[in-house]
Amino acid sequence: MTRNWRVDGGGCIDRGKPVSFTFNGRTYPGFEGDTLASALLANGVRMMGRSFKYHRPRGIVALGSEEPNALVRVLDAGGGGQPNGRATTLALVDGMQARSQHHWPSLEVDVGVLADAASRFLSAGFYYKTFKWPRRWWPGYEHILRRAAGLGAPPDRRALAAPAQRHVHIDVLIAGGGPAGLAAALAAGRAGVRVLLADDGTRLGGSLIDEGEGDVDRPRGRWLAATLAELRQMGNVSLLERTVVSAYYDHDYLTLVQSPGPGRGGQAAGAGTFWKVRAERVVLATGAIERPLVFAGNDRPGVMLAGAVIGYLHRYGVLCGRDIVLCTDNDSVYGMVPALQQAGATICAVLDLRTGLSPAAAAAKSAGLVVATQARIVGTEGRAQIRAVRWARDDGVVVRTECDLLATAGGWTPRVHLHSQARGTLRYA
């Protein structure tokens, strides 16, 4: 059964424009401005895929293009469509039809889970060592292995649209539509140069929206609204959403992949646009990716990045859990506690991996939160949804805490992919 997890807030959705969509043949409600991921989470759908090798349940982990699990197929009129679309970056539209991948016969009941039960016998390279003999049996092996391999079936070549291509010479190309990228675009636009800004999200604003600062009644929200309004009025500035800067070559030559908008009835539309850009200057304002924490059972649905949890709340008005355990090695989770509590969540415990209480941790503990330092997660419970966390105190005693969401914060890693591809060097402090 599903449950409504929609709460007040959500600066990216328009509650006056409801839409409906289907996932795995079942119809759900959503709002204009949702992504497929946020709408599924709002309807209580937690399991959205299966792991590649052992077919273990997988759920949403992240908020944007770094999402590893929720890869879906957006269907077309013939039942085919485009595979491996990230539910976290697919804008929801009325009539969208999507289904999960890599399971049989269904997501909930998957024969491939037998591989999980036999995981101790399926070591790395098992297939290559086992299925090469006897040679005459290979045709039988091949049929089974090819059906099990891969994530999603390729689209029908006859229905596959060729991507549009655009060749552009520009003065400034900006990768990233967060506050830094928008500020750079505003400065360059006012200087009169030609600007192209590309962002892989469905809405510009980045961390300002994720942290709840995108509302027009807040100073940063007013700055964001005024900046976007001014940029959109500039004839020398182009803003591209749903666009990934995919490669950075010599002499400031870059390629961009712009995802298509949905077609009629929410079906997959076209193949997008492939941009080939020659820029005089390139600004990389790509932000950072939150690091996950590693522990036994960190792959269960309901284990998410803390930044994604607060992002879904502020962007889409979706509460990802009501009984929450936070695990962190930094202070970032303490700032999100009041917003989660105001939305109706209970913070069951804050597991801080550090040896002592930081000022933020001490303030949270004095406010009544259960804050455990030198805590260590030893395992999780649940199958299609996390049910409890087992963690060790600093004295070694193992405690079991029931929850429906475990949010982890392992710090932030800057997105330096394009910089490194362009042979840029890094200095570690």
Side-chain angles (χ1 to χ4, degrees):
M1 293 182 64
T2 62
R3 180 181 178 186
N4 186 15
W5 295 82
R6 193 81 71 172
V7 296
D8 293 338
C12 292
I13 60 174
D14 186 345
R15 295 177 188 261
K17 297 181 179 180
V19 300
S20 65
F21 67 100
T22 63
F23 180 69
N24 287 344
R26 185 169 182 176
T27 302
Y28 298 97
F31 294 107
E32 185 176 297
D34 265 321
T35 61
L36 178 61
S38 67
L40 288 171
L41 289 172
N43 285 282
V45 179
R46 294 295 182 262
M47 186 168 68
M48 301 185 192
R50 293 276 181 171
S51 66
F52 176 75
K53 184 173 181 180
Y54 297 125
H55 290 249
R56 293 170 180 161
R58 287 289 187 267
I60 291 289
V61 173
L63 181 65
S65 58
E66 68 274 21
E67 168 60 37
N69 293 335
L71 303 178
V72 302
R73 189 182 194 95
V74 180
L75 305 183
D76 56 22
Q82 296 291 338
N84 297 328
R86 280 183 169 82
T88 52
T89 60
L90 289 172
L92 189 71
V93 294
D94 193 44
M96 175 180 279
Q97 302 176 49
R99 67 171 182 235
S100 53
Q101 306 176 140
H102 197 55
H103 52 71
W104 184 86
S106 68
L107 177 62
E108 292 76 16
V109 181
D110 182 15
V111 172
V113 78
L114 295 175
D116 190 19
S119 60
R120 67 174 61 188
F121 305 109
L122 303 178
S123 59
F126 166 80
Y127 318 99
Y128 311 107
K129 299 173 184 176
T130 305
F131 295 114
K132 66 180 181 181
W133 59 271
R135 187 178 183 86
R136 64 179 180 276
W137 290 7
W138 171 245
Y141 294 148
E142 182 182 25
H143 176 72
I144 297 172
L145 291 176
R146 287 192 181 277
R147 284 184 62 87
L151 289 173
D156 187 347
R157 281 183 170 271
R158 293 169 297 180
L160 189 62
Q165 295 194 32
R166 295 198 58 180
H167 299 260
V168 177
H169 288 258
I170 206 76
D171 294 316
V172 179
L173 172 66
I174 301 172
L182 292 174
L186 188 62
R190 287 173 176 173
V193 298
R194 296 167 300 165
V195 180
L196 180 65
L197 182 145
D199 187 82
D200 61 0
T202 57
R203 179 171 175 179
L204 302 176
S207 61
L208 294 182
I209 305 175
D210 298 338
E211 297 169 3
E213 298 291 336
D215 297 335
V216 293
D217 58 344
R218 295 175 178 266
R220 294 181 181 179
R222 288 193 292 272
W223 176 88
L224 176 60
T227 298
L228 289 174
E230 184 175 350
L231 288 174
R232 287 176 175 137
Q233 291 177 353
M234 292 181 178
N236 58 320
V237 176
S238 298
L239 304 177
L240 301 181
E241 299 171 344
R242 306 185 319 275
T243 304
V244 177
V245 181
S246 57
Y248 192 163
Y249 300 105
D250 294 337
H251 309 295
D252 292 326
Y253 177 71
L254 302 96
T255 57
L256 286 63
V257 178
Q258 184 177 22
S259 300
R264 297 181 60 185
Q267 297 163 355
T273 303
F274 186 67
W275 294 72
K276 301 177 181 180
V277 180
R278 183 78 69 180
E280 293 291 331
R281 296 286 187 272
V282 178
V283 177
L284 301 179
T286 45
I289 301 174
E290 191 168 27
R291 294 190 294 269
L293 297 175
V294 180
F295 49 85
N298 70 341
D299 59 346
R300 300 189 193 281
V303 179
M304 298 178 62
L305 298 175
V309 171
I310 198 65
Y312 281 110
L313 179 62
H314 289 314
R315 281 178 176 257
Y316 310 109
V318 173
L319 188 60
C320 297
R322 287 189 167 88
D323 298 305
I324 303 175
V325 172
L326 303 174
C327 186
T328 184
D329 63 3
N330 60 83
D331 283 343
S332 62
V333 301
Y334 295 105
M336 57 189 276
V337 168
L340 291 172
Q341 291 177 327
Q342 186 177 1
T346 299
I347 308 301
C348 302
V350 181
L351 311 180
D352 200 317
L353 306 181
R354 296 172 292 183
T355 56
L357 288 172
S358 68
K365 189 170 186 178
S366 64
L369 285 184
V370 176
V371 180
T373 57
Q374 288 186 279
R376 177 174 55 88
I377 296 179
V378 297
T380 61
E381 299 176 9
R383 187 61 180 172
Q385 166 71 32
I386 190 171
R387 300 300 179 193
V389 176
R390 289 179 285 107
W391 54 279
R393 301 187 320 203
D394 56 357
D395 58 3
V397 175
V398 176
V399 179
R400 181 181 181 274
T401 302
E402 293 187 355
C403 65
D404 59 9
L405 175 66
L406 172 58
T408 66
W412 299 83
T413 297
R415 298 177 188 247
V416 297
H417 312 67
L418 292 171
H419 173 74
S420 298
Q421 187 183 25
R423 300 183 181 179
T425 58
L426 303 175
R427 183 174 63 186
Y428 296 89

